């Protein structure tokens, strides 16, 4: 077995909530906002299923499916970063953080292409209920991915001087918690907006 392999059993297990409590409060508030958005979307879809079905038929699944894979890859990378820093493998941890940022950057590029196509087709918030929800939810989530990348980039920057090691990895765990929230919201959004017919 390679000496630098990241095994879960190699990491000390002290039971605690990972990351910063303030970030968890922020995450819960964000999940509540998205939850209300999703409930209102579901209600309007229930009231006018034909309109929403027609809107969904104009969406292509390739880019959002690739984006789902990118965010999942980003989540896997940030889990690997947490493990690496817990084992004081600084260089490996920074590489995994960079991988998370690259996955997020790929998501933003593909989402910008998708949204650009819709704007070029004349679709706006006033193009109907479906498009109002589509644009509001996807742009709101887009901004959360941007914030997630800023948080991960800040942790990567601070990790250059060996700040995170062993038990002192709260910053990395905080970034990971936020990134997982962004990922979770996208999966629900992807299912509701693109897949469920």
């Amino acid at each position: 077995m390679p000496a630098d392999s990241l095994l879960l059993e190699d990491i000390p297990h002290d039971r605690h909530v990972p990351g910063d409590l303030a970030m968890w409060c922020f995450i819960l508030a964000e999940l509540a906002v998205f939850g209300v958005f999703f409930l209102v979307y579901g209600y309007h879809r229930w009231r006018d299923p034909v309109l929403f079905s027609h809107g969904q038929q104009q969406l292509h699944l390739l880019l959002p499916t690739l984006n789902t894979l990118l965010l999942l890859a980003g989540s896997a990378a940030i889990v690997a970063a947490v493990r690496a820093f817990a084992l004081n493998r600084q260089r490996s941890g920074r590489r995994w953080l960079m991988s998370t940022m690259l996955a997020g950057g790929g998501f933003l590029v593909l989402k910008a292409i998708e949204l650009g196509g819709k704007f070029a087709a004349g679709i706006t918030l006033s193009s109907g209920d479906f498009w109002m929800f589509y644009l509001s939810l996807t742009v709101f989530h887009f901004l959360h991915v941007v914030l997630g990348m800023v948080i991960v980039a800040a942790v990567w920057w601070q990790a250059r001087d060996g700040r995170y090691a062993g038990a002192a990895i709260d910053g990395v765990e905080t970034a990971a918690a936020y990134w997982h929230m962004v990922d979770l919201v996208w999966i629900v959004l992807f299912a509701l907006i693109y897949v469920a017919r």
Side-chain angles (χ1 to χ4, degrees):
M1 179 184 324
D4 64 345
S5 61
L6 300 176
L7 299 177
L8 191 56
E9 59 266 19
D10 293 336
I11 302 171
H13 294 286
D14 56 337
R15 297 183 183 272
H16 71 287
V17 176
D20 185 67
L21 180 60
M23 178 58 81
W24 281 104
C25 292
F26 181 65
I27 287 171
L28 290 175
E30 292 294 288
L31 288 174
V33 170
F34 274 108
V36 169
F37 244 136
F38 293 148
L39 287 173
V40 174
Y41 170 85
Y43 172 73
H44 281 272
R45 178 178 167 165
W46 172 76
R47 285 188 59 202
D48 198 346
V50 174
L51 174 72
F52 279 69
S53 177
H54 178 68
Q56 283 181 308
Q57 288 170 14
Q58 298 176 60
L59 298 177
H60 302 287
L61 285 177
L62 177 60
L63 292 182
T65 300
L66 292 174
N67 269 341
T68 303
L69 296 174
L70 282 169
L71 285 186
L72 290 173
S75 281
I78 206 160
V79 166
V82 171
R83 290 178 180 170
F85 284 113
L87 295 171
N88 200 21
R89 295 178 179 153
Q90 300 294 314
R91 183 175 296 174
S92 177
R94 289 192 304 275
R95 280 198 304 260
W96 285 117
L97 289 175
M98 182 59 70
S99 297
T100 299
M101 289 188 284
L102 290 172
F107 177 96
L108 295 179
V109 168
L110 293 181
K111 180 52 65 182
I113 292 169
E114 181 186 348
L115 291 171
K118 296 297 179 279
F119 293 138
I123 293 170
T124 67
L125 288 171
S126 59
S127 296
D129 280 356
F130 174 78
W131 295 113
M132 185 268 296
F133 280 108
Y134 165 82
L135 290 173
S136 298
L137 283 166
T138 57
V139 170
F140 192 44
H141 180 267
F142 182 97
L143 297 174
H144 281 74
V145 176
V146 172
L147 178 57
M149 289 182 65
V150 169
I151 292 169
V152 174
V155 170
W156 177 85
W157 183 263
Q158 292 177 339
R160 294 174 313 134
D161 61 1
R163 176 172 180 170
Y164 305 111
I169 58 169
D170 280 355
V172 186
E173 290 177 332
T174 298
Y178 186 83
W179 192 267
H180 292 320
M181 183 273 292
V182 169
D183 199 356
L184 172 65
V185 168
W186 173 257
I187 290 170
V188 175
L189 193 158
F190 176 66
L192 286 178
I193 299 287
Y194 295 94
V195 177
R197 304 289 166 109

